[in-house]
């Protein structure tokens, strides 16, 4: 009650004093917008000819760059929860033989099964080239098996 009396007194005797409260509340939508931008643009994933590269920390304090060659990959997994399935969003986890846990996680990407199948095709191609075998065909069932 004392705060209301003080606010009425300030607005009545000091013109423009109540206007200072408005910018304080305008920081809430600004903070929400900044959090959304940070989640969306803080990470970048690059699928190159020979490797997968993850760059994290573009908008943050910590900058981390992880590069994994396709020939070093051990497992490619897709993780989706119920909301991710509805929105066709998910995480692609890439593991190597060096660690028990995934070394690189591509988070919140649209259509993760497509990217997982592209990585698996490139992985098979690199393994075939390392062994001196002919390159595998693109219709070998990798894409069809991942979408079911």
């Amino acid at each position: 009650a004392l705060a209301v009396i003080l606010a009425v007194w300030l607005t009545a005797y000091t013109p423009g004093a109540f206007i200072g409260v408005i910018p304080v509340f305008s920081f809430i939508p600004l903070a929400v917008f900044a959090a959304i931008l940070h989640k969306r643009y803080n990470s970048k994933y690059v699928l190159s000819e020979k490797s997968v590269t993850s760059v994290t920390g573009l908008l943050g304090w910590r900058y981390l760059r992880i590069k994994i060659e396709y020939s070093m990959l051990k497992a490619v997994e897709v993780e989706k929860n119920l909301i991710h399935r509805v929105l066709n969003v998910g995480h692609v986890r890439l593991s190597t033989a060096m660690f028990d846990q995934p070394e690189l996680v591509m988070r919140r990407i649209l259509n993760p099964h497509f990217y997982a199948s592209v990585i698996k095709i490139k992985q098979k191609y690199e393994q075939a080239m390392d062994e001196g075998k002919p390159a595998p065909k693109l219709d070998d069932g990798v894409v069809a098996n991942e979408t079911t």
Side-chain angles (χ1 to χ4, degrees):
L2 183 61
V4 173
I5 294 171
L6 183 63
V8 170
W9 181 75
L10 283 175
T11 56
Y13 293 106
T14 312
F18 195 68
I19 295 174
V21 176
I22 294 172
V24 171
F25 292 115
S26 67
F27 284 120
I28 295 171
L30 184 63
V32 170
F33 182 69
I36 291 171
L37 280 179
H38 185 267
K39 282 209 179 255
R40 175 68 180 100
Y41 295 107
N42 193 40
S43 300
K44 181 172 79 168
Y45 308 106
V46 180
L47 302 177
S48 66
E49 188 176 322
K50 300 275 185 190
S51 63
V52 179
T53 305
S54 168
V55 181
T56 307
L58 298 172
L59 301 177
W61 294 102
R62 293 181 51 203
Y63 181 81
L64 179 63
R65 182 179 176 157
I66 300 172
K67 183 176 182 179
I68 302 175
E69 294 184 9
Y70 294 119
S71 59
M72 302 298 288
L73 284 175
K74 179 181 169 186
V76 179
E77 302 169 348
V78 175
E79 178 188 346
K80 290 174 139 184
N81 61 25
L82 181 64
I83 296 173
H84 287 164
R85 283 185 231 135
V86 170
L87 298 175
N88 195 19
V89 177
H91 309 307
V92 177
R93 298 178 177 272
L94 305 175
S95 301
T96 62
M98 299 174 105
F99 299 105
D100 293 337
Q101 296 179 346
E103 188 171 345
L104 189 147
V105 179
M106 300 169 67
R107 298 185 184 280
R108 294 179 295 277
I109 59 171
L110 186 63
N111 198 2
H113 288 290
F114 170 75
Y115 291 104
S117 64
V118 167
I119 291 169
K120 285 181 180 180
I121 289 171
K122 290 188 177 211
Q123 178 187 16
K124 283 187 175 186
Y125 179 80
E126 285 297 319
Q127 287 175 351
M129 297 307 285
D130 288 344
E131 295 172 0
K133 295 180 181 177
K137 297 177 184 176
L138 293 180
D139 61 347
D140 63 354
V142 174
V143 176
N145 289 337
E146 285 301 312
T147 57
T148 58

